[in-house]
Amino acid sequence: MEVNPPKQEHLLALKVMRLTKPTLFTNIPVTCEEKDLPGDLFNQLMRDDPSTVNGAEILMLGEMLTLPQNFGNIFLGETFSSYISVHNDSNQVVKDILVKADLQTSSQRLNLSASNAAVAELKPDCCIDDVIHHEVKEIGTHILVCAVSYTTQAGEKMYFRKFFKFQVLKPLDVKTKFYNAETDEVFLEAQIQNITTSPMFMEKVSLEPSIMYNVTELNSVSQAGECVSTFGSRAYLQPMDTRQYLYCLKPKKEFAEKAGIIKGVTVIGKLDIVWKTNLGERGRLQTSQLQRMAPGYGDVRLSLEAIPDTVNLEEPFHITCKITNCSSERTMDLVLEMCNTSSIHWCGISGRQLGKLHPSSSLCLALTLLSSVQGLQSISGLRLTDTFLKRTYEYDDIAQVCVVSSAIQVES
Amino acid sequence: MVKSPSFSSASETAARTPPQVVQPSPSLSKFFGDTINTNSLASDFFDSFTTSTFISVSNPNAGASVPEKLSSLTAPAGETSPDSTDPSCSAGAERSESGVSTASLEILESPKPFSQIQAVFAGSDDPFATALSMSEMDRRNDAWLPSEGTRDILTAVATQQYSTVFVDKENLTMPGLRFDNIQGDAVKDLMLRFLGEKAAAKRQVLNASSVEQSFVGLKQLISCRNWRAAVDLCGRLLAAHGQGYGKSGLPTSHTTDSLQLWFVRLALLVKLGLFQNAEMEFESFGNLDQPDLYYEYYPHVYPGRRGSMVPFSMRILHAELQQYLGNPQESLDRLHRVKTVCSKVRAATHSSLTGCPCFAASVQLWRSRLGRVTYSMANCLLLMKDYVLAVEAYHAVIRCCPEQEPQLLSGIGRISLQIGDIKTAEKYFQEVEKVTQKLDGPQGKIMVLMNRKCPSLCANNNAAVCLLYLGKLKDSLRQLEALVQRDPGHYLHESVLFNLTTMYELESSRSMQKKQCLLEAVASREGDSFNTQCLKLA
């Protein structure tokens, strides 16, 4: 890690050690039975070994903490902690010691020292200790610059610097995918991959929505009053593992009208990820604002306000449609036609007039239909005709509904 | 092809192996005239009959009736052509000593020497003397299920008076030492480099030559942590058995003792971290299932005795070794096989022994063996970093060994810490407190104390580490040094020294002197098994 060695003999020595979390010591258990040659010797040796667990010597994972032996890896979002020690190697008293620690990245230079005041004097064989912490916010090369200035007993002013270079790596790979539902809801699937070399415990992954949306996270289930994660017993991510997180975004009431005719790129929100690794080493990242391309709806949009998930075979059920005039100037006079398919049969009057619909406004319509085929059925067959332009808009596969035999009770 | 060693009626058929040598019984003057052993006890006299390198035509197992002696090697040892420095001859004297001292090793009742003499001179094949030695405990301990191929060969051997048995060399275990001796004493080497010749000369550790060349000497070396010397001594004793350096691949035979020696040698190699060496020497043992590793293979040497000669712990070692070589999946596979056989044997012995007075002992033995295998599997899964399965496996261990529940729950808590799942870790540590409170009063209190203030080295070491993280290097050093000085015989442990030397390096540029002080402390106390890497002097 050290880049340039000191050129002259200094009275003080500067030592730096990164304080990665310690690790637990592991043993190699070797046992034998009473009747074997060593008798109780192997077991005795393990009992005498202070690094084994008392009473469970065969357990490999001991209780002793071992200091880190090398720098290790550091990732964006983690906290860089380091011990900085200035030791008086000489046999004279040194005065006016000032220790400064700066972190130089490609874009900025930060001061990390806890105290900026000079220490009046340092006796031989004593040391000045400091522990610095810094939450790493950039990827790439970082240089820790430690500068020490002091005055010798003779009054000579001395100064030296040491540089420690290290790389900050990317810990997570985040991919997002948007799904537009039949209603105004938008589903966000976030795939998060652990690209570090050690297992990661995801403490919190949340979506902070933009002002237009309310968010519901779909990654935990209420079981017996307790919130249980959908990831089950696999509470952590091994290196290279990926997890999918699901969120449902619903436009807020005041934006609901607009949401139907939003075109182009919209900002959905950002992901806030907090994780922990070995012995609780914490990391935190936020993605940039996630953007979504709104689907084009054309002039007239048909969306669903209410539809049941599951219905009984050959039993009529109700849905509520919302018809929106997406144009900005034209008032529409629409006629609704319902066409039956092999599985979907509409009930009601087809070909009726819906009345005038002003630009950027919508109307709700209740419809009744039934299905004659079991299974997942697609609702199709609605036609809206603009009487002025004599243009017909076809709406097929608007939504799906699960049709079950009436022998199975459908919970209402 | 190698003939079964019990095929003693020798030479008419085209013998591809040299016929067994018949020598007259040793002259009594050997013992009353020449003094090999000036302080020979009466039992020396009797025992040396059974350990000399002769075979009586009428009773080829003359030397083999008492399993604890290395004598049984004599029968087929005739095949290894004796030269002037015949190891078996020179070992005869040594072994007569071992005969005396290892009598205490086996708990089973050994036949009285008198009956042995009878067997030698009576000229009859009657194995009743040896039948006396077979105890219920043996049968229990050695019970194992051979694979089908092995079973066929063993059945053939049992019925071999009707037809000769030829066993393919592939099915035989022909081990030998793969390296002559281990590089002496790492501590002494460091002393030579850093403290000078005079200081190095002062270091005295027991080596293979400074102890009795027997099981007793071996145990001495093990207990004072001179494991390299112990490995060497095992090697010598095995060489005396005809399985020394260069003997791998040569026909030989096995006894309870020889296999125990192999087990100890291989176990110590693993303890020393010399995994490749252990693997090399384990190679000849295959899957520990070859027919010549079963007592049935030697009906004249161990008449009526059944089961596997391979110590159960050797099977565990054989499986666990793979995970240290980077093949944890292979470890798991082997452990599964051991577990399967254990379950089958346990079921079989239960059904046959119910109502028998030794039922309880049998239950206990196989329960503890299954527990040991499960423990191994849990450790292996942990090494593979499959934390979910490892935790499940440790829960299974708790069911097998409920007295270790607090320690195991605490261990699972530590696993959660390693992943970063602090909440789960806390839950487990709270569970530990709950469990220890449930235990009966005094026992419970002791356990809580042990967990809260675990052996002082561990707690103090961890406290010192915490001090460092708080920016208190000097305090941390003071704490650790005080600890080491308080009880150096006990506390000069690898992990503590690692921490200490790391902090010395952080403290000043003059860490070398302090590390050398540690070396001196180590030199006067630690055996040759000490892992010198922790001193960071290299």
Side-chain angles (χ1 to χ4, degrees):
Chain A
M1 195 169 89
E2 207 179 307
V3 168
N4 15 357
K7 290 189 201 82
Q8 56 173 142
E9 275 298 312
H10 279 275
L11 301 178
L12 302 178
L14 171 78
K15 292 288 170 103
V16 170
M17 180 173 122
R18 180 184 169 202
L19 292 175
T20 350
K21 294 268 192 242
T23 48
L24 288 167
F25 192 76
T26 51
N27 303 289
I28 294 181
V30 174
T31 58
C32 71
E33 295 180 326
E34 281 283 341
K35 211 175 163 277
D36 291 326
L37 193 164
D40 193 45
L41 266 181
F42 282 166
N43 294 338
Q44 186 63 42
L45 283 170
M46 290 211 295
R47 279 193 292 271
D48 287 343
D49 186 344
S51 69
T52 54
V53 176
N54 231 8
E57 284 81 13
I58 308 180
L59 185 57
M60 272 181 90
L61 189 63
E63 294 168 317
M64 303 239 296
L65 294 172
T66 320
L67 290 172
Q69 294 304 311
N70 52 37
F71 187 84
N73 287 321
I74 185 159
F75 297 97
L76 182 66
E78 291 185 335
T79 303
F80 170 69
S81 302
S82 180
Y83 200 104
I84 300 182
S85 172
V86 175
H87 187 257
N88 188 349
D89 275 351
S90 71
N91 46 16
Q92 53 167 289
V93 177
V94 170
K95 297 195 170 71
D96 294 330
I97 307 103
L98 183 65
V99 183
K100 260 188 30 125
D102 287 340
L103 192 63
Q104 173 85 46
T105 67
S106 47
S107 63
Q108 57 181 327
R109 192 185 182 110
L110 301 151
N111 182 358
L112 301 176
S113 314
S115 68
N116 281 309
V119 175
E121 67 170 31
L122 188 63
K123 294 199 174 66
D125 215 34
C126 292
C127 57
I128 299 172
D129 300 311
D130 195 11
V131 177
I132 50 148
H133 304 280
H134 169 73
E135 192 178 322
V136 176
K137 296 196 178 73
E138 288 174 62
I139 297 181
T141 308
H142 287 59
I143 304 179
L144 177 67
V145 184
C146 296
V148 179
S149 64
Y150 61 99
T151 312
T152 64
Q153 209 155 40
E156 196 185 340
K157 285 204 190 334
M158 309 282 277
Y159 173 83
F160 69 92
R161 277 196 306 186
K162 272 195 180 173
F163 300 86
F164 304 94
K165 192 157 85 157
F166 60 93
Q167 292 293 331
V168 173
L169 308 165
K170 205 171 144 199
L172 298 171
D173 203 20
V174 180
K175 292 196 184 83
T176 54
K177 222 167 153 186
F178 286 100
Y179 297 92
N180 302 302
E182 307 90 17
T183 58
D184 281 336
E185 292 166 330
V186 179
F187 289 90
L188 168 68
E189 177 193 335
Q191 285 187 1
I192 300 180
Q193 186 182 33
N194 172 5
I195 50 177
T196 68
T197 47
S198 51
M200 221 186 225
F201 175 73
M202 305 307 281
E203 196 174 77
K204 183 178 83 134
V205 178
S206 60
L207 178 63
E208 279 173 22
S210 65
I211 37 164
M212 279 174 36
Y213 292 95
N214 280 328
V215 70
T216 324
E217 64 99 22
L218 299 169
N219 304 304
S220 58
V221 179
S222 189
Q223 249 179 28
E226 237 187 73
C227 230
V228 176
S229 156
T230 52
F231 301 106
S233 58
R234 209 143 274 276
Y236 61 96
L237 277 172
Q238 291 281 26
M240 296 308 139
D241 272 2
T242 309
R243 248 196 202 176
Q244 292 152 303
Y245 287 87
L246 195 58
Y247 301 92
C248 176
L249 293 139
K250 237 192 160 96
K252 291 196 190 141
K253 251 214 155 80
E254 50 269 35
F255 295 98
E257 294 297 313
K258 265 211 208 145
I261 30 177
I262 286 172
K263 294 182 177 42
V265 175
T266 52
V267 159
I268 294 295
K270 53 184 178 173
L271 280 170
D272 189 354
I273 306 167
V274 180
W275 73 90
K276 286 220 169 88
T277 53
N278 180 40
L279 287 189
E281 184 96 66
R282 189 177 177 272
R284 181 173 186 186
L285 273 184
Q286 278 190 341
T287 63
S288 47
Q289 290 285 353
L290 299 168
Q291 294 177 330
R292 161 194 171 235
M293 189 69 171
Y297 289 120
D299 293 335
V300 183
R301 186 187 164 203
L302 181 81
S303 62
L304 285 172
E305 287 287 288
I307 176 171
D309 293 325
T310 316
V311 297
N312 282 327
L313 182 67
E314 293 173 356
E315 265 179 38
F317 60 96
H318 306 288
I319 62 172
T320 309
C321 293
K322 186 165 101 169
I323 297 167
T324 314
N325 179 349
C326 297
S327 72
S328 39
E329 309 108 14
R330 246 175 356 108
T331 304
M332 292 176 178
D333 207 345
L334 297 167
V335 168
L336 173 70
E337 267 175 74
M338 292 120 73
C339 310
N340 289 341
T341 69
S342 53
S343 57
I344 297 291
H345 306 273
W346 296 95
C347 314
I349 302 169
S350 175
R352 59 187 157 130
Q353 291 229 308
L354 296 177
K356 286 204 170 37
L357 190 60
H358 293 291
S360 301
S361 67
S362 60
L363 61 88
C364 277
L365 198 61
L367 295 171
T368 312
L369 65 157
L370 63 86
S371 174
S372 57
V373 179
Q374 273 186 73
L376 197 67
Q377 298 305 321
S378 194
I379 296 178
S380 308
L382 290 180
R383 307 279 177 266
L384 283 173
T385 308
D386 183 348
T387 51
F388 289 159
L389 292 177
K390 307 246 184 312
R391 197 181 292 165
T392 305
Y393 303 93
E394 293 182 355
Y395 297 96
D396 293 317
D397 296 314
I398 327 164
Q400 279 83 39
V401 69
C402 182
V403 183
V404 296
S405 153
S406 35
I408 305 167
Q409 286 289 17
V410 176
E411 284 166 61
S412 49
Chain B
M1 292 219 277
V2 178
K3 289 206 205 110
S4 145
S6 47
F7 182 55
S8 51
S9 47
S11 27
E12 320 92 33
T13 37
R16 287 161 220 196
T17 52
Q20 302 190 319
V21 177
V22 175
Q23 295 163 11
S25 27
S27 154
L28 291 178
S29 60
K30 184 181 180 198
F31 302 96
F32 296 114
D34 226 37
T35 46
I36 302 164
N37 212 335
T38 43
N39 294 323
S40 49
L41 309 165
S43 47
D44 265 354
F45 166 78
F46 295 126
D47 286 348
S48 61
F49 267 103
T50 59
T51 58
S52 57
T53 57
F54 84 100
I55 310 132
S56 152
V57 174
S58 53
N59 190 1
N61 69 321
S65 44
V66 183
E68 68 247 28
K69 303 196 179 35
L70 297 176
S71 47
S72 47
L73 61 84
T74 58
E79 294 170 332
T80 56
S81 46
D83 47 27
S84 54
T85 51
D86 185 357
S88 38
C89 276
S90 54
E94 293 168 5
R95 271 186 270 115
S96 64
E97 295 171 330
S98 76
V100 179
S101 34
T102 55
S104 55
L105 177 66
E106 295 283 339
I107 312 163
L108 55 85
E109 32 175 335
S110 47
K112 303 282 184 299
F114 185 64
S115 56
Q116 277 182 8
I117 304 292
Q118 268 194 333
V120 169
F121 291 115
S124 68
D125 269 10
D126 184 7
F128 91 96
T130 51
L132 285 176
S133 71
M134 197 188 73
S135 69
E136 204 44 57
M137 193 192 298
D138 277 349
R139 202 167 18 171
R140 194 163 52 233
N141 269 291
D142 306 332
W144 202 251
L145 292 175
S147 65
E148 214 179 298
T150 304
R151 218 179 322 134
D152 290 342
I153 297 177
L154 292 176
T155 322
V157 167
T159 57
Q160 59 95 43
Q161 50 238 64
Y162 302 111
S163 61
T164 58
V165 183
F166 292 93
V167 183
D168 209 306
K169 225 175 183 175
E170 272 170 22
N171 291 328
L172 292 180
T173 317
M174 296 183 288
L177 302 185
R178 291 304 195 91
F179 47 95
D180 236 337
N181 68 339
I182 321 193
Q183 320 81 329
D185 181 12
V187 176
K188 192 160 193 170
D189 292 342
L190 276 182
M191 290 180 81
L192 274 169
R193 271 175 66 192
F194 293 97
L195 302 173
E197 260 190 59
K198 236 173 116 187
K202 281 199 233 146
R203 172 153 164 94
Q204 299 208 342
V205 280
L206 291 177
N207 60 26
S209 306
S210 29
V211 293
E212 207 179 283
Q213 305 291 287
S214 68
F215 286 7
V216 166
L218 192 54
K219 286 164 90 160
Q220 223 183 322
L221 290 173
I222 296 173
S223 68
C224 63
R225 302 179 67 96
N226 287 310
W227 301 335
R228 288 165 189 264
V231 170
D232 282 342
L233 181 56
C234 280
R236 288 188 197 183
L237 296 174
L238 283 167
H241 188 93
Q243 291 172 358
Y245 185 65
K247 296 288 200 274
S248 155
L250 294 182
T252 180
S253 78
H254 304 281
T255 68
T256 318
D257 281 352
S258 72
L259 281 172
Q260 284 289 339
L261 281 171
W262 274 114
F263 167 59
V264 172
R265 182 171 162 99
L266 294 162
L268 290 173
L269 284 173
V270 171
K271 278 183 95 74
L272 285 165
L274 298 168
F275 307 121
Q276 256 98 10
N277 296 46
E279 194 187 27
M280 272 199 292
E281 297 196 341
F282 245 130
E283 221 186 297
S284 321
F285 289 94
N287 279 336
L288 302 174
D289 184 53
Q290 270 122 278
D292 59 345
L293 295 174
Y294 285 84
Y295 286 111
E296 294 95 307
Y297 195 75
Y298 309 97
H300 292 275
V301 178
Y302 298 105
R305 191 160 172 187
R306 298 172 61 82
S308 171
M309 287 179 170
V310 177
F312 180 77
S313 311
M314 192 165 169
R315 294 186 190 275
I316 299 283
L317 190 72
H318 179 243
E320 286 181 338
L321 177 60
Q322 287 305 309
Q323 75 202 21
Y324 304 125
L325 288 165
N327 307 322
Q329 191 56 55
E330 178 62 30
S331 268
L332 272 183
D333 292 344
R334 292 182 184 188
L335 288 168
H336 270 292
R337 264 177 257 142
V338 172
K339 189 170 182 189
T340 311
V341 176
C342 277
S343 308
K344 284 190 190 156
V345 173
R346 184 170 77 152
T349 50
H350 276 202
S351 55
S352 64
L353 286 181
T354 332
C356 173
C358 50
F359 180 67
S362 175
V363 168
Q364 177 55 33
L365 175 70
W366 288 100
R367 185 180 87 105
S368 78
R369 284 181 173 184
L370 273 169
R372 182 68 184 87
V373 173
T374 314
Y375 230 136
S376 282
M377 285 167 130
N379 282 342
C380 183
L381 288 164
L382 184 61
L383 214 65
M384 283 168 90
K385 301 195 198 271
D386 194 333
Y387 298 111
V388 174
L389 283 180
V391 168
E392 269 177 40
Y394 280 119
H395 277 294
V397 178
I398 294 179
R399 289 193 288 277
C400 278
C401 317
E403 70 282 0
Q404 292 185 25
E405 188 174 6
Q407 292 92 335
L408 286 164
L409 286 176
S410 183
I412 298 174
R414 286 197 296 284
I415 294 176
S416 302
L417 274 183
Q418 279 196 316
I419 306 171
D421 190 350
I422 310 298
K423 274 215 200 92
T424 307
E426 275 172 6
K427 261 199 271 170
Y428 272 103
F429 292 135
Q430 280 165 7
E431 192 59 35
V432 173
E433 302 254 337
K434 259 196 263 167
V435 166
T436 49
Q437 271 161 26
K438 265 197 253 161
L439 297 172
D440 299 327
Q443 192 192 0
K445 289 212 173 61
I446 294 168
M447 298 222 76
V448 172
L449 281 173
M450 271 168 29
N451 274 308
R452 289 290 192 79
K453 189 189 184 324
C454 42
S456 46
L457 180 72
C458 182
N460 276 294
N461 170 71
N462 293 354
V465 168
C466 293
L467 279 172
L468 178 70
Y469 282 72
L470 290 170
K472 301 198 168 81
L473 176 60
K474 285 280 191 201
D475 291 341
S476 175
L477 273 173
R478 222 175 291 141
Q479 175 138 359
L480 269 188
E481 282 178 332
L483 189 69
V484 170
Q485 278 158 18
R486 194 195 317 162
D487 190 354
H490 217 185
Y491 292 157
L492 275 173
H493 187 268
E494 190 183 327
S495 58
V496 177
L497 293 178
F498 244 122
N499 288 343
L500 204 47
T501 50
T502 305
M503 288 198 273
Y504 283 153
E505 287 179 345
L506 178 61
E507 186 197 25
S508 79
S509 319
R510 294 216 220 96
S511 56
M512 195 53 100
Q513 285 172 331
K514 297 202 178 177
K515 288 193 241 177
Q516 284 174 4
C517 282
L518 284 179
L519 176 60
E520 280 171 0
V522 161
S524 57
R525 282 176 199 92
E526 292 292 318
D528 66 26
S529 64
F530 184 76
N531 178 10
T532 49
Q533 279 187 339
C534 65
L535 293 174
K536 297 199 190 171
L537 281 170

